[in-house]
Amino acid sequence: MTFPARLAAALLLVAAASATATELATERYAPAQLAVASDFLERAREAAARGDSALAGKLAWQASLDARLAWGMTESEELRADAAEVGGAANELIEQLAERRR
C-alpha cells in the first residue's frame, strides 16, 4: 500500500472512531436529559395547579426543549418514544395555558 493510501485509510479510521465516540457520549446522557424534561413537566403541572400560569408556561417550555434534546441524543426507539411523550405533554400544557389567557 502506498503512503497516500495508508494515510487516507488512517484518516478514515480516526474519523470513524471519533464519530462512534461522539454518538456513544450523547447516547449515555439521553436518559438523564429525559429525566430533566420529566421533572420540568411535573413542576409545570404543579405550578399550573397552583394557578401560576406564567411559571407553568416557562417550565413547560423548558420541558419541551429538554425532551427534544433527549430525543436528539439517542437512537433508542424506547427513549425517543418517551421523549416524544414528555414533549407532547409539555406542548399540550402550553396550549392549555394559552387558552386560559384568551
Side-chain angles (χ1 to χ4, degrees), residues 21-33 73-75 79:
T22 302
E23 290 170 8
L24 294 177
T26 59
E27 184 80 32
R28 186 169 95 189
Y29 296 110
Q33 189 70 46
M73 292 169 71
T74 186
E75 292 184 1
L79 277 174

Side-chain angles (χ1 to χ4, degrees), residues 9-86:
L11 289 174
L12 284 174
L13 286 174
V14 169
S18 76
T20 301
T22 302
E23 290 170 8
L24 294 177
T26 59
E27 184 80 32
R28 186 169 95 189
Y29 296 110
Q33 189 70 46
L34 182 56
V36 169
S38 296
D39 182 59
F40 274 120
L41 178 58
E42 183 60 31
R43 291 172 51 202
R45 288 176 172 158
E46 291 169 1
R50 287 192 314 268
D52 191 347
S53 295
L55 178 59
K58 289 176 185 177
L59 293 169
W61 182 86
Q62 188 65 51
S64 175
L65 174 67
D66 284 317
R68 284 180 278 151
L69 287 172
W71 190 94
M73 292 169 71
T74 186
E75 292 184 1
S76 163
E77 289 183 27
E78 183 179 341
L79 277 174
R80 281 187 164 184
D82 291 345
E85 184 178 328
V86 170

